[in-house]
Amino acid sequence: MRNARKRVWKRFSYRECDAMKEYLEQMAEKGWYLKKLGAWMVFEQGIPGKLRYAVHVFVKGSEYDRKPEEDTEELIACCEAAGWKFVCNYGKFCVFCTNDDSAVELETDEEIRFSVIQKEESKKIWFYFLCFAFFFVITLRQIFLDSNLLFDNETVLEAGVLFLMFLNGSIDLFEGKRWAFKIKKRLQMGESVHYSRYPLWLRSIDHICFWMCILYFIVQALWYDNAIGFIGFFIWFCTIFIIISVINRLQLSRENHQLFVWSSIFWGPLLYVVLSFALQSVGTLSKNEEGMPESFPLAISDLSDETVKEEVLYGEYHSGWFGSKLYCALGKEDDVYAALHYEVIESRFSWVLDHQWKKAYDESVYEETEEQIWGAERAVKRKTYGADMYLLRYPDCILVFQFDGEITPQVIENTREKLKIN
């Protein structure tokens, strides 16, 4: 009868190899013996006993190793000759065990061991740091290049999550450098080195960042009602997880596994795009609304005694944590040109208004005009085809205004009243 097995979700990095060794020995004392490493640690139940483990970070191993390769077979033969039994390998990890207390330790050269561990840890930390830094900078650049995105909470939240991951990567990078310096100093002084678990505070930060990412996708689905994006990502993530689990179970060779990983750079995004298009075809899943308001506060009839039939040529509205932006172009019926065009940018943050002003204002085309007439902090205008366009700065908003009628005090008063500009 096959012994009971259980899977344990407990991951160890290469710099935690001694902590992993101690954990396996504790599990053996409870009657659980390691059988397989991977996304999960698989244990088989047996008679509780004392067993020595050795967790070796093999310099000739590869992250793509899921079974012993030729180089690993040579290591196994040497270790078995020294009284150690091979248990399993995963990546550069090679796990051995023995019940012989007189068997010599597998690790003899501490400097080589540290060199291998530091190299692998540095590669991993730099990879994640550079990835998150790249995506954070790109997202931040998009926000400040596209003035509308600053008022889009979804994009701002995405930038916040990426900043959190970037900050986490920076902390990992700093702590990794500090750890390496401390180990080097110990080796120079001839002291023994114990590769224990990451500091509790660092693991806590990693866990917080992980759950923040999960929370972000939940918010995406519930707050913004972005069902298609959430379901698409969830199905894509589950599909990728299943594929990777199957590949790990098949235990491909190093070359085939490497080919699979690099090819996933192509088929992974392709699968996501296919799923997104498939879900887009199911209209009932999407409840996102366009940013077109049902009505506009200021109409042509509010500024002119002339009775005209008017229609909205174009309009949009953006609102977020940093403020809002309303844009409207109104025209007379059967006239393709806008008779009234205005844009209102509101924010309680002065730096947001400063940024929007710099993007809109060009001193080469604008000229100063009398701000007292508009009751503004600053007023400039520029010549356009047809009516002049005014750019006006108020304490809590910016107004872009163009009207093909005469700009009279009454027009200004009605404009400020309808748009609620104090």
Side-chain angles (χ1 to χ4, degrees):
M1 184 176 178
R2 184 180 177 181
N3 293 336
R5 289 195 173 196
K6 72 173 181 178
R7 296 171 179 267
V8 177
W9 176 262
K10 197 174 183 72
R11 300 188 66 83
F12 292 88
S13 69
Y14 292 127
R15 63 173 271 189
E16 297 174 316
C17 52
D18 285 342
M20 181 177 172
K21 164 185 174 296
E22 293 166 356
Y23 173 74
L24 296 177
E25 290 175 349
Q26 291 171 5
M27 291 295 288
E29 290 177 358
K30 298 175 183 178
W32 292 101
Y33 298 91
L34 181 69
K35 289 299 175 182
K36 187 178 179 183
L37 274 178
W40 303 83
M41 300 179 77
V42 180
F43 291 89
E44 186 174 272
Q45 191 173 29
I47 300 174
K50 187 176 181 181
L51 197 64
R52 288 176 61 195
Y53 276 92
V55 179
H56 182 67
V57 183
F58 188 35
V59 63
K60 295 183 180 179
S62 169
E63 289 292 335
Y64 304 104
D65 288 354
R66 296 296 179 267
K67 62 180 182 179
E69 300 290 331
E70 185 176 348
D71 293 333
T72 314
E73 294 285 2
E74 295 177 4
L75 172 69
I76 293 172
C78 292
C79 292
E80 288 183 343
W84 291 87
K85 178 186 175 183
F86 175 72
V87 178
C88 61
N89 73 308
Y90 187 85
K92 285 182 174 289
F93 273 135
C94 291
V95 182
F96 299 87
C97 68
T98 183
N99 52 14
D100 184 2
D101 293 335
S102 63
V104 295
E105 292 289 342
L106 294 182
E107 307 291 348
T108 55
D109 194 320
E110 286 290 345
E111 291 191 0
I112 293 179
R113 187 188 189 198
F114 168 69
S115 176
V116 175
I117 293 174
Q118 183 195 22
K119 180 180 178 181
E120 294 305 317
E121 287 293 305
S122 296
K123 286 195 314 188
K124 180 188 69 175
I125 292 173
W126 275 107
F127 174 77
Y128 287 116
F129 172 77
L130 293 176
C131 281
F132 288 126
F134 173 77
F135 287 114
F136 171 64
V137 170
I138 291 296
T139 304
L140 201 63
R141 182 175 180 272
Q142 287 178 333
I143 289 175
F144 283 94
L145 284 181
D146 187 341
S147 56
N148 292 333
L149 290 180
L150 195 56
F151 306 108
D152 181 10
N153 283 346
E154 188 174 353
T155 306
V156 172
L157 181 62
E158 179 183 342
V161 172
L162 286 172
F163 172 73
L164 185 67
M165 302 307 295
F166 166 72
L167 187 62
N168 182 37
S170 302
I171 294 173
D172 285 342
L173 188 63
F174 173 78
E175 200 282 331
K177 294 293 183 183
R178 186 196 65 82
W179 169 81
F181 176 78
K182 184 173 67 173
I183 297 300
K184 283 181 181 178
K185 192 173 181 180
R186 284 185 177 180
L187 291 175
Q188 290 172 357
M189 297 175 64
E191 298 179 1
S192 60
V193 177
H194 183 266
Y195 295 91
S196 57
R197 288 286 272 173
Y198 273 94
L200 179 60
W201 64 267
L202 188 62
R203 281 185 284 145
S204 300
I205 292 176
D206 290 341
H207 290 156
I208 290 172
C209 288
F210 172 78
W211 287 111
M212 283 291 290
C213 288
I214 299 298
L215 180 63
Y216 165 69
F217 289 110
I218 294 175
V219 169
Q220 282 272 24
L222 301 181
W223 188 1
Y224 298 106
D225 210 4
N226 188 11
I228 286 182
F230 180 77
I231 294 175
F233 176 82
F234 181 76
I235 295 176
W236 173 76
F237 179 84
C238 291
T239 304
I240 295 295
F241 181 80
I242 292 171
I243 292 175
I244 292 176
S245 299
V246 171
I247 292 299
N248 285 336
R249 184 173 289 273
L250 292 175
Q251 292 191 325
L252 298 177
S253 64
R254 181 186 298 175
E255 292 75 15
N256 290 335
H257 187 222
Q258 189 172 8
L259 179 63
F260 166 78
V261 170
W262 283 101
S263 65
S264 66
I265 297 175
F266 169 76
W267 62 259
L270 179 63
L271 179 62
Y272 181 73
V273 171
V274 170
L275 286 172
S276 297
F277 273 108
L279 289 170
Q280 285 284 356
S281 63
V282 185
T284 55
L285 289 177
S286 177
K287 296 182 180 179
N288 293 324
E289 298 178 359
E290 296 292 332
M292 178 80 166
E294 295 180 358
S295 61
F296 293 90
L298 182 65
I300 298 174
S301 57
D302 296 321
L303 307 179
S304 174
D305 295 332
E306 181 184 357
T307 302
V308 296
K309 290 185 177 181
E310 56 186 286
E311 61 180 342
V312 177
L313 300 178
Y314 183 77
E316 62 180 21
Y317 179 71
H318 302 273
S319 179
W321 295 315
F322 293 120
S324 62
K325 176 183 284 190
L326 172 68
Y327 177 87
C328 180
L330 297 169
K332 299 174 183 178
E333 193 174 38
D334 300 326
D335 190 349
V336 296
Y337 296 103
L340 173 63
H341 158 263
Y342 59 89
E343 186 176 349
V344 184
I345 303 170
E346 295 181 304
S347 178
R348 63 182 183 273
F349 302 104
S350 59
W351 66 268
V352 174
L353 296 177
D354 291 339
H355 173 70
Q356 297 293 320
W357 179 272
K358 289 178 182 178
K359 287 187 69 66
Y361 176 65
D362 184 351
E363 62 181 8
S364 64
V365 295
Y366 279 98
E367 59 184 31
E368 299 290 335
T369 187
E370 295 183 6
E371 61 267 10
Q372 294 85 358
I373 298 176
W374 290 90
E377 293 181 346
R378 188 177 180 189
V380 295
K381 70 175 182 178
R382 69 183 177 95
K383 300 289 184 180
T384 63
Y385 178 77
D388 291 342
M389 178 174 286
Y390 292 86
L391 179 61
L392 310 161
R393 172 67 185 266
Y394 293 92
D396 56 359
C397 74
I398 293 174
L399 172 63
V400 180
F401 183 81
Q402 185 179 29
F403 178 52
D404 66 357
E406 183 181 358
I407 305 296
T408 64
Q410 188 61 45
V411 167
I412 295 173
E413 183 181 345
N414 290 349
T415 299
R416 294 185 61 184
E417 181 183 350
K418 291 292 182 178
L419 297 178
K420 299 179 180 179
I421 297 175
N422 300 320

